[in-house]
Amino acid sequence: MLPTSSNDSVSAASDPESRLHLREAHYNATLIKRIDIHEELVRFRVRPDAGIKPFEPGQYVAVGLGYWEPRIQPSQDEQLEEKKWRKVVRRAYSISCPMLDTAGVLTTCDELDYLEMYITLVRSGDTSDKPPALTPRLFCLSEGDRLVVEAKITGHYTLAGVGDDDTVLMLGTGTGEAPHNAMTAHLLRRGHRGRIVNATTVRYRADLGYLDEHARLMKAYPQYRYLPLTTREPENLDPRHPGYVGKQYLQDLFTTGRLAEMADDPLDAARTHVFLCGNPAMIGLVKPGSLAPEKPGMLPLLHAAGFTNEERGPGNVRYEKYW
């Protein structure tokens, strides 16, 4: 696939000099490594010019590119107004972690001079008048290219209040695994003694961008359990498959007790902290005035099991959202 400009009427699309000046004026970071999991899933390693201020595992940062940049094709058509093409589009991403260095040794975010982002390409938006602006541009980047990284790293989705003997249950969908990888590395580095469970649901096994790293961590740290779950593989869809397990949704696994079996931990509210990141349907936050969905997300199921999002001790539920 070749990156192309989406709107030939925009001046910057045919003016390389203007684009160069805009990049120099706005960009403050460099893409130093691009790890393609497949054509629509990438791990980006970005080094800010000014270095990285200390931050907590689980927090997020905004990254951006100018509207003047090309967009990968095919993607939903975008028609820009002339006044918009000089602006920068930004989006917040949770900071991930490679967890292992090139020698296979445990590494944490605070030991790195770059930020790792775990990003899915979104080719079309929910509505025809709002095509995705950022990821089709991000996926055109090559190592050495420049972009924007905001200086402020923030967020309340952290490990605050987690004791060394507590169980930590992290539930994610797709790239919602990113903050949990940063948390996992941090917990293991500080010598966490309780069970650490990192469960991630994706459509296909090919969507698991850190599978090898997790496998190696489980061999080295017996308290760590990574649960890669799928919903669209043959064993999820075909009852005749010898390994048939059905669609592995986190809600179903939790309510049936299967998740606790897989984790080898009771996952009870008396000593378990729960972290939720990813698809809003999985998280299950119902906005005031909205009807509850037919299939509940994790929040009401956890509340029914004795968990709360009011306290920061065991039994606490935390969730990340960008919608």
Side-chain angles (χ1 to χ4, degrees):
M1 284 178 293
L2 295 176
T4 68
S5 173
S6 58
N7 186 352
D8 291 337
S9 67
V10 175
S11 303
S14 58
D15 186 353
E17 186 174 351
S18 293
R19 282 190 282 181
L20 179 61
H21 289 317
L22 286 165
R23 289 168 182 156
E24 291 175 346
H26 291 281
Y27 292 172
N28 64 352
T30 302
L31 175 63
I32 62 167
K33 183 73 174 178
R34 173 175 174 151
I35 303 172
D36 288 81
I37 310 305
H38 55 66
E39 66 176 8
E40 296 188 347
L41 182 63
V42 172
R43 290 164 57 179
F44 287 119
R45 294 178 180 172
V46 180
R47 180 178 292 137
D49 298 343
I52 303 168
K53 294 180 180 179
F55 66 94
E56 294 295 319
Q59 292 188 308
Y60 62 86
V61 69
V63 302
L65 284 170
Y67 278 103
W68 59 85
E69 300 293 359
R71 300 169 76 240
I72 202 164
Q73 297 299 324
S75 57
Q76 184 179 345
D77 187 49
E78 176 189 71
Q79 299 296 320
L80 291 179
E81 298 178 4
E82 185 73 22
K83 63 181 180 180
K84 197 170 186 179
W85 70 262
R86 289 179 174 271
K87 296 182 179 180
V88 173
V89 56
R90 297 171 174 82
R91 182 185 168 185
Y93 288 100
S94 294
I95 300 167
S96 189
C97 182
M99 298 179 287
L100 297 171
D101 64 17
T102 55
V105 177
L106 179 68
T107 190
T108 59
C109 289
D110 58 3
E111 297 169 325
L112 305 172
D113 65 351
Y114 60 82
L115 301 171
E116 178 151 315
M117 311 293 173
Y118 190 32
I119 300 177
T120 298
L121 171 61
V122 180
R123 296 183 184 272
S124 60
D126 295 332
T127 60
S128 60
D129 62 336
K130 283 194 173 182
L134 185 55
T135 64
R137 292 179 165 89
L138 284 172
F139 272 68
C140 288
L141 294 178
S142 299
E143 293 177 6
D145 285 344
R146 303 277 288 165
L147 68 161
V148 173
V149 174
E150 295 298 323
K152 186 177 181 181
I153 299 176
T154 188
H156 302 289
Y157 193 68
T158 70
L159 292 166
V162 174
D164 289 341
D165 295 299
D166 296 339
T167 294
V168 179
L169 174 62
M170 299 172 282
L171 305 179
T173 58
T175 55
E177 170 183 338
H180 301 160
N181 294 338
M183 291 175 174
T184 292
H186 181 81
L187 287 168
L188 293 175
R189 168 69 80 216
R190 79 181 195 187
H192 189 82
R193 295 183 293 269
R195 174 71 79 192
I196 305 167
V197 182
N198 186 347
T200 302
T201 292
V202 295
R203 294 175 300 172
Y204 303 101
R205 276 186 292 275
D207 299 325
L208 295 163
Y210 294 83
L211 194 57
D212 180 63
E213 289 88 337
H214 290 300
R216 287 191 280 170
L217 285 175
M218 283 194 292
K219 288 183 179 180
Y221 299 92
Q223 73 271 43
Y224 181 55
R225 186 66 51 87
Y226 180 65
L227 304 178
L229 309 166
T230 58
T231 60
R232 296 190 186 179
E233 293 287 354
E235 63 267 27
N236 305 126
L237 305 174
D238 185 0
R240 297 167 297 178
H241 191 281
Y244 180 70
V245 293
K247 294 186 176 182
Q248 295 177 299
Y249 292 113
L250 292 164
Q251 300 97 303
D252 296 336
L253 295 173
F254 179 76
T255 54
T256 61
R258 177 62 179 146
L259 187 64
E261 292 176 9
M262 298 168 75
D264 193 23
D265 189 279
L267 304 179
D268 60 278
R271 61 188 184 90
T272 302
H273 302 254
V274 182
F275 295 83
L276 308 172
C277 187
N279 192 315
M282 179 278 288
I283 295 174
L285 177 67
V286 180
K287 296 180 180 179
S290 300
L291 295 175
E294 183 177 340
K295 183 178 178 64
M298 285 301 308
L299 280 174
L301 299 176
L302 287 162
H303 293 160
F307 290 84
T308 177
N309 44 310
E310 300 299 325
E311 303 291 337
R312 283 288 179 173
N316 175 248
V317 182
R318 288 164 239 195
Y319 54 90
E320 192 61 279
K321 56 187 177 69
Y322 301 125
W323 67 92

